[in-house]
Each structure stands twice: as C-alpha cells, then as structure tokens.
Amino acid sequence: MDVVPAPSGDNPVKTPMVEVETVEAVDAAESVNAEMVAFEESSEYETDSDDSGWEALSQDGDTVKLLRDEQLRDGLVPGACTLDEALAFRKQLHALGKAAFVRETIARETVTAKKLCTAFGFLPPAFLEGAPDEAYHPLLAIAISREFSKRPKLPQYNTVDDAVRLLRESKNIIVLTGAGISTSLGIPDFRSKDTGLYSKLEHLGLSDPQEDILPTEKKYSPTHGFIKLLQDKGKLLTNYTQNIDNIEANAGVLPQNMIQCHGSFATATCVKCGFKVSGDAIFDEIKEGKIPECSACREEIAKDALKPQGLKRKRSTNGQQKDRKEYEDSSDEEDYDIPTPGVMKPDITFFGEGLPDEFGRRLLNHDRELADLVIVIGTSLKVAPVAEVPGILPRDVPPDLYLAYSNSSLQPVSHTEFDIDLLGDCDVVVSELCRRAGWDLQHHMIPADEKVDVTPVEGYESRHVFQVVGA
C-alpha cells in the first residue's frame, strides 16, 4: 500500500519521528469524525485537517486504500476517474482552493463524492458500498486536504535536459537522502529486520533504530560522491540525511553542510552517566554481539569498591547514588544494589523521539528561503517529520528532483509530486547526470565505459527510467 504525508501540526519539524504508513484505527475514526463536521457544517465546505489517519480507517476488516495513477490510467478500478479526469480535478483544486472547488463540484453535483475520492487516489471502502453519496463526504474531505497540502508540480520542468540544466544553474541545493544511497555498498536499510540494525541491536534492549547497519570500512557510494561533488562546486546548501551510517563523512561532506536527522554512529553516550565516546570505540563490541558498557561507569565502580565498607554508598537501579545517611540507617543488607556500568547507546534517534533542534532551525530559519533546488535520493519519504520537508518549502521554488534508490525500485513516491522523477539505481542516475552536465564524478564503482539508457515512462512527461545498457 502506498503511504501518505506525515500529519501536519503547529510545529511540524518538532514532530517525533514516526512511520507514516500506518496509524491506529481509533485515531483514524476520530479524524474522519472531525472531517465530517468540517465538511457538512461549514457553508464554505472548508477542510483544514491534513490528518493521515484515513489509511487505517476500517470496519469489519475493510480498509481505505490508496490508488496509484497507473491504476487510473489503465482503467483497473470500475467507476473511478480516468487519469486525465483525475489530473484535471487536481489542477482545478489547486487553482480554486478547497472551498471553491467543492462548490464547483459537489455542490453543483457535477461529480459524485464517491468518484471524486478516486481522483485524489482514494479507493472507496467496501463497507460504504450502497450508502448515499453523503457518506463519502468525510473521506473526500480528507482526500481534498491531503491533495491541497501537496506542493504542486512546476509545469516547466519535465525532461532529463531540464534536470541537467537545474543542476548546472542552481546555487543552493538541498539534498535529502535515505538508506537507499548506501545499499550499493551492501548495507541493507533498517526495514530488513533480519539483517539490519533491528537484529544487530536487539540484545542492547534498545528501541528499533531508524536506518542501516554500521559500515565495515571507510567507503562510500557514487551517490555519496555526488553529494561531495556538489559541495566542491559550492552548490550544496544542506544534506539532510536520514542515515545513521555516517558514510557522508567518509565521502568528505563537511559537518557544517550536513544535518544528520536521525543521529549517527559517529558517537555514543552512556544511558546512565552521559559519558560520550567515538562510535569506533564500541564498533567491535557491537559487531561481536556484545553489549558495550561505559568505561567511565566501570572506573567509578572500581574506585567505589576500594573505599572502606562504611563509606560505600547505596545505589539505585538506575546507577544514581543514594544519600549516605539513608544507607547507614538501613539495616537491610539485601537491599543493596550491585552497581553495574551503563550501556553505551549510539547517538541515533529512535521512533517516537524528536529530531535534533538543529533540524528545524536550519530548515526554517536558513534553508527555506535560500534553496533553489531540492534533490531527494534513496528514500521513499515514509518517516515524519523528514517526509514533510518538500511540503514545508515554498511552493513556487525550488524545483524538485526525485531519484529512486535501487535497481528493483522503479516506483516514484506517490504522496509527493516532484517536478521530475528520475527512476533507477541512484548511482547510475547521478553518474549519467554528471556526464551530461560535463562534470567529472570519479568513483571506482562507475565503469569508464558505462552506457546508460534513459526511457520516458508512458503517460508521464516528467518521469524517466535510467538503466545501464546490457544490465
């Protein structure tokens, strides 16, 4: 199933990092009830909510699902809009605004709410079949809000030549990256639970981490090299990376040009005393399946053990020392907790935790007004609040490029409309773009005689597939 944009809020960049693909059904029901009131009671039919809870809305096992444009184009859904009709409705919505659009469609009864839902990618659920059209209003209200919140595509950017021209002319480029830029190095993304960080760190008793496993050597992919090349040319405004592998640093991307949105393995911090070390200091232990313990805690425990018995302090289970008088007054020797070192937790952001403050400060107070191009590489934008970055930026500028992230993933991101979609192995895409731009992207993983075939996707003027000839 496709995914939806992250829920919006008063301060979207402070939203805890969450998966936007699934939401509890009870939250979805509350969202739809709120939308129904907004839709039916407002004389303007205004809909302000952009809650993504609709996806988990269910009744008797039926769920609300998303439609892809390909399904509309191929006529696979009976009673749905054609792709041309859907595109026309979307264009009309962005041109008129939500209230006027509803007046021109639903109020004038030029189209049913049930059918209009499909124009915005919603497959009406089976449990509403046979219900009056008004029953589809709450679902349509969410669909309209979701579509209207999208940044509309700029029609003047469509071809690969346009993409190359944007690269050459842009001076302040935001690059938003995910785990896909590291997969060519043999590093699986975090969703591979049997091989990724889920399995590597389960024994630490930590929550599920966000991205890929630790690299075993100081290497980087051609895509990492491409980001460094943008930096060398003075074009890189900021690389917002969702990865924790710290490979951007291996490629030479400078700390001042990079926001590690989910933290990284570059450092680790003791969960008890706060002592911080380099990630390299705990790498071997994690690789061997051991729990990395805090050396500072061990030293403190060793010092404590050398003290006379009467001067030792009682410790709580979290490692904090209790008051000496309290200990001396207690006659229950069994209540003494044997002190243990704290676990060294990699400085990565876990699900449910907020992103670093620098993420929001940099995006809203610096990059938002300076950026003239956004390139999204190696991520399907499923994790909030990073998934919201394209929507936070101004609608008229900058143009967006989307580069897919693996040989097997040729599907564009459906919940955000990019100006140009360049699909295929991202290493292949960036190497071909650099060739066409006249840039020298040197990397041992790029064959000197590499030939790349670029094929437009039928029915999409701005969508192109890159594939190595003979691959």
Side-chain angles (χ1 to χ4, degrees):
M1 182 184 297
D2 288 328
V3 296
V4 299
S8 61
D10 292 337
N11 189 356
V13 297
K14 292 299 290 182
T15 304
M17 184 165 61
V18 295
E19 188 80 27
V20 299
E21 186 171 7
T22 305
V23 183
E24 292 297 329
V26 63
D27 295 333
E30 292 174 355
S31 169
V32 170
N33 287 337
E35 290 290 352
M36 183 181 296
V37 172
F39 195 94
E40 294 184 346
E41 290 187 356
S42 172
S43 60
E44 295 296 317
Y45 291 94
E46 189 62 54
T47 56
D48 294 323
S49 173
D50 186 31
D51 202 321
S52 60
W54 59 267
E55 188 178 13
L57 176 64
S58 64
Q59 179 173 312
D60 298 329
D62 290 327
T63 58
V64 178
K65 296 182 175 64
L66 276 177
L67 292 171
R68 296 189 304 275
D69 281 353
E70 289 81 358
Q71 293 171 284
L72 299 180
R73 181 192 63 196
D74 298 337
L76 300 179
V77 182
C81 291
T82 66
L83 180 57
D84 287 342
E85 290 173 333
L87 294 176
F89 279 129
R90 296 170 196 173
K91 183 178 180 180
Q92 184 182 15
L93 170 61
H94 286 286
L96 297 178
K98 291 182 285 186
F101 174 78
V102 173
R103 286 197 299 267
E104 291 297 315
T105 54
I106 299 302
R108 293 180 181 272
E109 299 183 349
T110 59
V111 62
T112 64
K114 179 181 179 181
K115 183 175 182 179
L116 196 53
C117 284
T118 67
F120 304 119
F122 280 41
L123 179 65
F127 64 78
L128 287 179
E129 191 63 36
D133 198 55
E134 289 77 9
Y136 294 88
H137 284 184
L139 185 63
L140 178 60
I142 300 172
I144 288 174
S145 285
R146 172 177 175 262
E147 175 63 32
F148 193 74
S149 69
K150 292 181 181 179
R151 173 189 174 275
K153 172 180 162 32
L154 300 179
Q156 65 268 37
Y157 303 105
N158 298 287
T159 68
V160 176
D161 287 341
D162 290 335
V164 172
R165 179 168 54 84
L166 287 168
L167 278 177
R168 297 181 68 175
E169 295 179 357
S170 298
K171 299 179 180 179
N172 294 295
I173 301 176
I174 287 178
V175 181
L176 180 58
T177 52
I181 71 170
S182 299
T183 54
S184 63
L185 301 175
I187 300 175
D189 64 40
F190 77 98
R191 298 178 199 282
S192 305
K193 290 192 177 183
D194 294 333
T195 56
L197 264 175
Y198 287 111
S199 57
K200 293 291 182 182
L201 295 183
E202 271 183 333
H203 63 281
L204 299 186
L206 302 177
S207 303
D208 287 343
Q210 309 321 311
E211 291 294 341
D212 30 294
I213 64 173
L214 281 166
T216 57
E217 58 184 87
K218 300 297 184 181
K219 57 185 179 180
Y220 60 90
S221 72
T223 303
H224 293 94
F226 169 71
I227 301 169
K228 169 63 161 53
L229 183 60
L230 293 178
Q231 174 182 273
D232 292 343
K233 290 182 174 294
K235 293 175 175 288
L236 181 63
L237 183 60
T238 304
N239 175 201
Y240 291 90
T241 176
Q242 299 174 85
N243 300 333
I244 61 172
D245 52 32
N246 204 41
I247 296 180
E248 294 86 0
N250 294 348
V253 179
L254 299 174
Q256 60 264 34
N257 293 332
M258 177 171 51
I259 297 294
Q260 293 177 308
C261 303
H262 299 168
S264 79
F265 263 100
T267 57
T269 303
C270 175
V271 298
K272 283 188 177 180
C273 73
F275 180 65
K276 190 179 291 288
V277 299
S278 165
D280 291 338
I282 66 170
F283 175 80
D284 289 339
E285 290 178 278
I286 292 179
K287 187 178 178 181
E288 294 172 5
K290 298 178 180 178
I291 298 176
E293 294 182 342
C294 175
S295 59
C297 282
R298 284 198 299 263
E299 291 179 8
E300 185 64 27
I301 291 171
K303 291 179 182 178
D304 204 30
L306 296 177
K307 294 178 181 179
Q309 189 69 24
L311 296 178
K312 290 183 181 179
R313 297 184 184 181
K314 189 174 181 180
R315 295 177 181 269
S316 63
T317 57
N318 65 0
Q320 300 295 320
Q321 292 181 334
K322 292 188 176 182
D323 182 77
R324 181 182 299 173
K325 185 178 185 300
E326 177 186 351
Y327 171 71
E328 292 172 347
D329 288 346
S330 173
S331 59
D332 186 1
E333 292 296 330
E334 293 183 358
D335 192 36
Y336 182 79
D337 293 324
I338 298 176
T340 57
V343 172
M344 297 303 299
K345 173 185 175 293
D347 290 333
I348 56 180
T349 303
F350 294 90
F351 280 114
E353 296 180 347
L355 267 61
D357 291 339
E358 180 59 21
F359 169 77
R361 285 196 297 266
R362 177 91 173 209
L363 179 62
L364 297 179
N365 299 331
H366 184 263
D367 291 355
R368 187 176 187 273
E369 300 303 327
L370 290 177
D372 53 12
L373 178 64
V374 175
I375 306 177
V376 178
I377 320 177
T379 174
S380 55
L381 295 180
K382 291 185 176 181
V383 178
V386 177
E388 298 178 340
V389 170
I392 291 172
L393 297 168
R395 290 194 164 205
D396 53 344
V397 292
D400 288 341
L401 299 181
Y402 173 70
L403 282 59
Y405 56 91
S406 71
N407 284 317
S408 60
S409 181
L410 299 178
Q411 293 295 329
V413 174
S414 63
H415 58 271
T416 298
E417 187 170 16
F418 294 97
D419 296 309
I420 307 175
D421 290 313
L422 306 178
L423 309 180
D425 185 322
C426 57
D427 290 340
V428 173
V429 175
V430 299
S431 64
E432 180 62 17
L433 289 177
C434 287
R435 287 190 200 98
R436 297 191 181 203
W439 295 353
D440 187 20
L441 177 60
Q442 293 288 336
H443 196 283
H444 70 276
M445 292 173 63
I446 303 176
D449 59 348
E450 183 179 73
K451 303 294 183 183
V452 177
D453 181 54
V454 181
T455 305
V457 177
E458 184 180 358
Y460 296 91
E461 185 182 11
S462 61
R463 192 170 295 173
H464 312 272
V465 174
F466 287 59
Q467 189 169 21
V468 174
V469 175

Short mmCIF file of all heavy atoms in Angstrom, two decimals, residues 3-24:
data_model
loop_
_atom_site.label_atom_id
_atom_site.label_comp_id
_atom_site.label_asym_id
_atom_site.label_seq_id
_atom_site.Cartn_x
_atom_site.Cartn_y
_atom_site.Cartn_z
N VAL A 3 1.82 5.17 0.83
CA VAL A 3 1.77 5.87 2.10
C VAL A 3 1.36 7.30 1.90
O VAL A 3 1.25 7.79 0.79
CB VAL A 3 3.14 5.82 2.80
CG1 VAL A 3 3.49 4.40 3.15
CG2 VAL A 3 4.21 6.43 1.92
N VAL A 4 1.11 7.98 3.01
CA VAL A 4 0.58 9.33 2.97
C VAL A 4 1.56 10.29 3.62
O VAL A 4 2.46 9.89 4.32
CB VAL A 4 -0.77 9.39 3.72
CG1 VAL A 4 -1.76 8.47 3.07
CG2 VAL A 4 -0.60 9.03 5.17
N PRO A 5 1.36 11.58 3.40
CA PRO A 5 2.24 12.56 4.04
C PRO A 5 2.08 12.51 5.55
O PRO A 5 1.04 12.11 6.06
CB PRO A 5 1.75 13.90 3.49
CG PRO A 5 0.91 13.57 2.32
CD PRO A 5 0.38 12.21 2.55
N ALA A 6 3.12 12.92 6.24
CA ALA A 6 3.06 12.96 7.69
C ALA A 6 2.01 13.96 8.14
O ALA A 6 1.77 14.95 7.50
CB ALA A 6 4.42 13.35 8.25
N PRO A 7 1.34 13.67 9.29
CA PRO A 7 0.35 14.62 9.80
C PRO A 7 0.99 15.97 10.05
O PRO A 7 2.11 16.07 10.53
CB PRO A 7 -0.10 13.97 11.11
CG PRO A 7 0.26 12.53 10.98
CD PRO A 7 1.48 12.49 10.12
N SER A 8 0.25 17.02 9.72
CA SER A 8 0.76 18.36 9.95
C SER A 8 0.39 18.82 11.35
O SER A 8 -0.49 18.29 11.99
CB SER A 8 0.18 19.34 8.92
OG SER A 8 -1.22 19.39 9.02
N GLY A 9 1.08 19.84 11.84
CA GLY A 9 0.80 20.35 13.17
C GLY A 9 1.30 21.76 13.30
O GLY A 9 1.73 22.38 12.35
N ASP A 10 1.23 22.29 14.54
CA ASP A 10 1.66 23.66 14.75
C ASP A 10 3.14 23.82 14.45
O ASP A 10 3.59 24.86 13.99
CB ASP A 10 1.36 24.07 16.20
CG ASP A 10 -0.13 24.17 16.45
OD1 ASP A 10 -0.87 24.37 15.47
OD2 ASP A 10 -0.53 24.04 17.62
N ASN A 11 3.93 22.80 14.77
CA ASN A 11 5.36 22.85 14.50
C ASN A 11 5.77 21.52 13.91
O ASN A 11 6.23 20.62 14.62
CB ASN A 11 6.13 23.13 15.79
CG ASN A 11 7.59 23.41 15.52
OD1 ASN A 11 8.05 23.32 14.39
ND2 ASN A 11 8.32 23.73 16.57
N PRO A 12 5.63 21.33 12.60
CA PRO A 12 5.85 20.03 12.01
C PRO A 12 7.25 19.49 12.20
O PRO A 12 7.44 18.29 12.28
CB PRO A 12 5.53 20.24 10.53
CG PRO A 12 5.69 21.71 10.30
CD PRO A 12 5.27 22.34 11.60
N VAL A 13 8.24 20.36 12.25
CA VAL A 13 9.59 19.85 12.38
C VAL A 13 9.89 19.34 13.78
O VAL A 13 10.92 18.71 14.01
CB VAL A 13 10.63 20.92 12.00
CG1 VAL A 13 10.48 21.31 10.56
CG2 VAL A 13 10.52 22.14 12.89
N LYS A 14 9.02 19.58 14.76
CA LYS A 14 9.19 19.03 16.10
C LYS A 14 8.41 17.75 16.28
O LYS A 14 8.41 17.16 17.35
CB LYS A 14 8.73 20.05 17.15
CG LYS A 14 9.63 21.28 17.23
CD LYS A 14 11.04 20.92 17.62
CE LYS A 14 11.13 20.45 19.05
NZ LYS A 14 12.52 20.14 19.42
N THR A 15 7.73 17.28 15.23
CA THR A 15 7.00 16.04 15.30
C THR A 15 7.95 14.90 15.60
O THR A 15 9.00 14.78 14.97
CB THR A 15 6.29 15.75 13.96
OG1 THR A 15 5.45 16.84 13.64
CG2 THR A 15 5.48 14.47 14.05
N PRO A 16 7.64 14.03 16.59
CA PRO A 16 8.50 12.88 16.82
C PRO A 16 8.61 12.04 15.56
O PRO A 16 7.69 11.99 14.74
CB PRO A 16 7.77 12.11 17.94
CG PRO A 16 6.92 13.13 18.60
CD PRO A 16 6.51 14.08 17.51
N MET A 17 9.74 11.38 15.40
CA MET A 17 9.94 10.57 14.21
C MET A 17 9.00 9.37 14.25
O MET A 17 9.04 8.55 15.16
CB MET A 17 11.39 10.10 14.11
CG MET A 17 11.68 9.34 12.85
SD MET A 17 13.44 9.17 12.58
CE MET A 17 13.90 8.26 14.04
N VAL A 18 8.14 9.25 13.25
CA VAL A 18 7.15 8.18 13.21
C VAL A 18 7.03 7.66 11.79
O VAL A 18 7.32 8.34 10.82
CB VAL A 18 5.76 8.65 13.69
CG1 VAL A 18 5.80 9.03 15.14
CG2 VAL A 18 5.26 9.81 12.84
N GLU A 19 6.57 6.42 11.69
CA GLU A 19 6.25 5.83 10.40
C GLU A 19 4.91 6.37 9.97
O GLU A 19 3.95 6.35 10.73
CB GLU A 19 6.18 4.30 10.53
CG GLU A 19 6.04 3.57 9.23
CD GLU A 19 7.38 3.43 8.53
OE1 GLU A 19 8.42 3.42 9.21
OE2 GLU A 19 7.36 3.34 7.30
N VAL A 20 4.79 6.87 8.75
CA VAL A 20 3.54 7.47 8.31
C VAL A 20 2.69 6.48 7.52
O VAL A 20 1.65 6.83 7.02
CB VAL A 20 3.78 8.74 7.46
CG1 VAL A 20 4.50 9.76 8.26
CG2 VAL A 20 4.52 8.41 6.18
N GLU A 21 3.12 5.22 7.43
CA GLU A 21 2.38 4.27 6.63
C GLU A 21 1.15 3.74 7.35
O GLU A 21 0.15 3.42 6.75
CB GLU A 21 3.28 3.10 6.25
CG GLU A 21 2.62 2.13 5.30
CD GLU A 21 3.60 1.12 4.76
OE1 GLU A 21 4.74 1.10 5.21
OE2 GLU A 21 3.19 0.34 3.89
N THR A 22 1.21 3.63 8.69
CA THR A 22 0.12 3.03 9.43
C THR A 22 -0.21 3.85 10.66
O THR A 22 0.68 4.30 11.36
CB THR A 22 0.50 1.60 9.88
OG1 THR A 22 0.88 0.86 8.72
CG2 THR A 22 -0.66 0.90 10.54
N VAL A 23 -1.48 4.04 10.94
CA VAL A 23 -1.94 4.77 12.11
C VAL A 23 -3.02 3.95 12.77
O VAL A 23 -3.75 3.23 12.09
CB VAL A 23 -2.51 6.16 11.73
CG1 VAL A 23 -2.91 6.93 12.97
CG2 VAL A 23 -1.49 6.94 10.94
N GLU A 24 -3.15 4.03 14.10
CA GLU A 24 -4.16 3.25 14.79
C GLU A 24 -5.56 3.58 14.28
O GLU A 24 -5.89 4.74 14.03
CB GLU A 24 -4.11 3.51 16.30
CG GLU A 24 -2.85 2.98 16.97
CD GLU A 24 -2.73 1.49 16.88
OE1 GLU A 24 -3.79 0.81 16.87
OE2 GLU A 24 -1.61 0.98 16.80
#
